[in-house]
Amino acid sequence: MHELSLAHGIVEQSIAAAERLRAARVVAVQLRVGRLAGVEAGALVFCYDIASQGTVLEGSRLEIIDVPLVVWCAHCLKEVELPGIQRLRCPTCDTLCGEIRHGRELEIASLEIEESDG
Amino acid sequence: MSQTRIVEVRAGVLKKNDELARALRTRFEDAGVFVVNLVSSPGTGKTQLLERTLTELAASGQRCAALVGDLETDNDARRLARSGVPVRQINTHGRCHLEAEMIGDFLGDWDLGALDVLFIENVGNLVCPASYDLGEALRVALLSVTEGEDKPQKYPTMFNSADVALITKIDLAEACEFDRAAAHAAIHDVRPGMTILELSAKRGTGMAEWHQLLADRRGAWQANHK
């Protein structure tokens, strides 16, 4: 259960971003989570609600944007999206694909904010 | 009613840990110490492997040390101290993984320049330690024959994040009806091409190959950081 640690990281960085943007209030935080990031979205949202209490983020939504696992297939010579993360094999030619192009992401993509007047 | 707008931020959630890990990596490189992070589920045999590895490395004249992470107790540090090398225990008090900040704190004033190899034994957990870079040069994931061949499929993130996989307690393979070929295939399915060694720290099986791998990886690392 490292989701609480991650939630604190999200809150810390979102507060910093909200200050930079001079936001009056943060309505939502959009988070990109790769399939291979090792994060349980439900637990993360639960922890976010706790970690954001008493901050400018209190009451805001944490919106998870799933990022699929995309690997480079050296046989088909193209990027392919995999249906799961248990088998890093090309669904077309069954070649093992070790080169991960997407799926490890764990980043705050954007904030939905209310701007302060003036 | 005020208007809202969406502003792109693009900030890594693990940014703070990643920055601290980068600083540690530079510190390790400057000191010339090769750092190995051992990860696995509880009971895979990290401590037993480490105890034998430290004893044998020390006997061969290598200067090594260990940082060992656990939720509670200093049992592992006391066990590893029998090897005669410096050992420090990190108690995470409930935290399920080590973070770069803890490594920095517990290294304290240790003279890294006096070390050849530093081992970090992570908290026994196959989920959370995968996300935390500790500045290591080599991440080694252990899988014991008592756990079942499909462990990599259950914890793909961890096995994918590792550089080397060790199948431990190989002396028990037959008793556990462990399918070695299936285990190799399972590991390669989540981490194509990863080097796999089979060993038993209790019997000594595979220890020579393990030492050779450490020496080879350390040599390659040194060549890159001259």
Side-chain angles (χ1 to χ4, degrees):
Chain A
M1 246 299 277
H2 62 312
E3 278 77 6
L4 189 56
S5 298
L6 296 178
H8 281 298
I10 294 166
V11 166
E12 206 172 290
Q13 297 216 46
S14 298
I15 290 173
E19 281 173 4
R20 270 199 312 276
L21 297 166
R22 298 172 178 276
R25 200 167 78 86
V26 176
V27 179
V29 173
Q30 281 91 26
L31 187 76
R32 284 160 50 80
V33 179
R35 290 290 314 276
L36 254 189
V39 173
E40 210 285 289
L44 189 58
V45 169
F46 178 79
C47 292
Y48 176 81
D49 289 342
I50 296 168
S52 61
Q53 275 172 27
T55 75
V56 66
L57 302 171
E58 186 167 337
S60 64
R61 298 184 310 274
L62 181 66
E63 298 173 350
I64 309 282
I65 305 162
D66 288 316
V67 181
L69 179 58
V70 175
V71 296
W72 172 255
C73 177
H75 185 257
C76 300
L77 295 175
K78 62 174 185 180
E79 288 187 353
V80 285
E81 185 179 324
L82 301 185
I85 58 174
Q86 280 80 23
R87 285 183 92 238
L88 273 56
R89 287 177 183 273
C90 175
T92 310
C93 69
D94 210 39
T95 300
L96 278 168
C97 302
E99 195 180 325
I100 293 167
R101 293 285 172 91
H102 295 288
R104 288 202 171 108
E105 293 85 346
L106 186 54
E107 64 169 22
I108 299 164
S110 50
L111 296 188
E112 183 178 349
I113 58 169
E114 264 176 26
E115 291 178 276
S116 39
D117 296 326
Chain B
M1 183 74 202
S2 43
Q3 292 278 320
T4 70
R5 67 178 178 123
I6 292 177
V7 187
E8 186 173 289
V9 175
R10 295 194 71 108
V13 172
L14 291 159
K15 188 174 151 207
K16 188 179 154 203
N17 187 78
D18 289 344
E19 284 171 357
L20 289 168
R22 249 197 310 278
L24 279 176
R25 189 165 280 115
T26 303
R27 190 176 157 195
F28 296 148
E29 285 165 6
D30 291 346
V33 57
F34 184 65
V35 179
V36 181
N37 180 9
L38 298 177
V39 295
S40 79
S41 44
T44 305
K46 291 185 296 299
T47 312
Q48 178 136 24
L49 172 67
L50 202 45
E51 188 177 358
R52 186 164 189 146
T53 304
L54 292 171
T55 304
E56 292 177 353
L57 280 175
S60 72
Q62 299 260 342
R63 302 166 304 168
C64 36
L67 280 176
V68 45
D70 263 309
L71 274 75
E72 304 292 343
T73 88
D74 63 349
N75 295 352
D76 285 358
R78 284 192 282 119
R79 195 169 149 197
L80 290 173
R82 295 192 302 217
S83 65
V85 314
V87 178
R88 281 186 186 168
Q89 178 80 49
I90 304 177
N91 278 135
T92 60
H93 301 296
R95 276 222 241 181
C96 50
H97 58 273
L98 294 177
E99 296 187 13
E101 188 174 13
M102 302 175 193
I103 302 299
D105 288 349
F106 278 83
L107 283 176
D109 55 359
W110 241 356
D111 179 10
L112 295 176
L115 292 175
D116 298 314
V117 188
L118 171 69
F119 290 92
I120 300 170
E121 180 183 337
N122 219 310
V123 177
N125 179 340
L126 269 179
V127 182
C128 314
S131 303
Y132 294 88
D133 183 2
L134 303 180
E136 73 266 31
L138 188 72
R139 183 177 292 189
V140 179
L142 284 68
L143 165 72
S144 69
V145 300
T146 55
E147 293 172 77
E149 302 84 358
D150 60 347
K151 216 56 183 278
Q153 265 64 52
K154 293 177 178 169
Y155 301 92
T157 299
M158 178 61 89
F159 282 89
N160 185 269
S161 80
D163 303 299
V164 172
L166 302 182
I167 300 178
T168 60
K169 307 186 188 182
I170 200 70
D171 54 313
L172 300 176
E174 210 167 311
C176 297
E177 296 181 6
F178 183 77
D179 185 337
R180 295 150 86 148
H184 284 245
I187 292 167
H188 283 149
D189 266 350
V190 296
R191 183 75 154 102
M194 177 151 66
T195 300
I196 304 171
L197 295 183
E198 298 180 347
L199 53 81
S200 161
K202 195 171 179 183
R203 305 267 178 243
T205 318
M207 287 302 292
E209 289 80 1
W210 166 235
H211 282 296
Q212 189 60 52
L213 179 136
L214 287 174
D216 290 347
R217 296 297 174 107
R218 184 167 162 242
W221 173 82
Q222 282 172 322
N224 275 329
H225 299 101
K226 274 268 153 63

